[in-house]
Amino acid sequence: MLLISALLFNLNGSTPTAKALLIPLAVIGFFFASIGAGGLYSNSKKVARVEKIYQQNPHDFVDAEIKRVEDFQYLYPMSIAISLVCFLISVGLLYFVKNVHWQAIAIALILFGTAFAVIDYFSKERATIYYEKLLNYTEEESL
């Protein structure tokens, strides 16, 4: 969507600000597209591997998954901080700098920070649900 928006702003935009959005939106769009493509590729391989590990020893798999989920929980506060920094830099650029190229970068940073916060918000929710299911599994196993 960002890549298409960047092209449309460049092709149909009649103001310098609209034209200046091409590169910042394209950079953010390529960044998101490459992360998404990499995630799709690695997840397809991971699912097959995870199923095999679970079938071999469910208890060890669940213990390893609990540790894995606990180990990446520190990333969520860090992602909020990254989003906040993006927003603060954007506000500073939009308020203090009157160059259209820097303002276009500020708009791209706002989009990046927003998308980053939304993705992590839902990721954290899914991780919490998954973690609770893993803990329930271990509790059922111990009974």
Side-chain angles (χ1 to χ4, degrees):
M1 296 289 292
L2 283 173
L3 294 171
I4 292 169
S5 297
L7 288 173
L8 289 175
F9 273 119
N10 191 50
L11 295 174
N12 297 329
S14 59
T15 64
T17 306
K19 300 256 185 227
L21 284 170
L22 174 66
I23 292 174
L25 290 184
V27 167
I28 299 297
F30 280 121
F31 180 74
F32 286 148
S34 61
I35 288 175
L40 285 173
Y41 177 74
S42 68
N43 282 345
S44 64
K45 289 187 172 204
K46 184 179 178 181
V47 168
R49 191 180 78 238
V50 166
E51 287 175 350
K52 187 181 286 186
I53 293 170
Y54 177 78
Q55 290 171 355
Q56 289 173 351
N57 190 337
H59 183 69
D60 287 348
F61 169 79
V62 171
D63 289 343
E65 282 296 287
I66 288 172
K67 179 168 176 13
R68 184 182 71 82
V69 172
E70 288 172 348
D71 286 348
F72 70 72
Q73 292 302 310
Y74 77 93
L75 293 172
Y76 293 118
M78 190 168 52
S79 68
I80 295 299
I82 291 169
S83 293
L84 180 62
V85 167
C86 286
F87 293 135
L88 292 174
I89 290 171
S90 298
V91 168
L93 288 173
L94 288 171
Y95 188 74
F96 294 112
V97 179
K98 298 304 175 200
N99 180 301
V100 294
H101 297 289
W102 284 105
Q103 290 179 338
I105 291 170
I107 291 169
L109 281 174
I110 289 170
L111 292 171
F112 176 79
T114 302
F116 200 62
V118 168
I119 290 167
D120 271 14
Y121 175 79
F122 289 108
S123 170
K124 183 177 182 179
E125 180 182 40
R126 285 190 350 228
T128 301
I129 292 168
Y130 182 56
Y131 185 70
E132 288 171 1
K133 288 185 185 271
L134 290 169
L135 291 177
N136 287 338
Y137 180 86
T138 57
E139 288 174 7
E140 291 172 5
E141 284 278 312
S142 63
L143 295 177

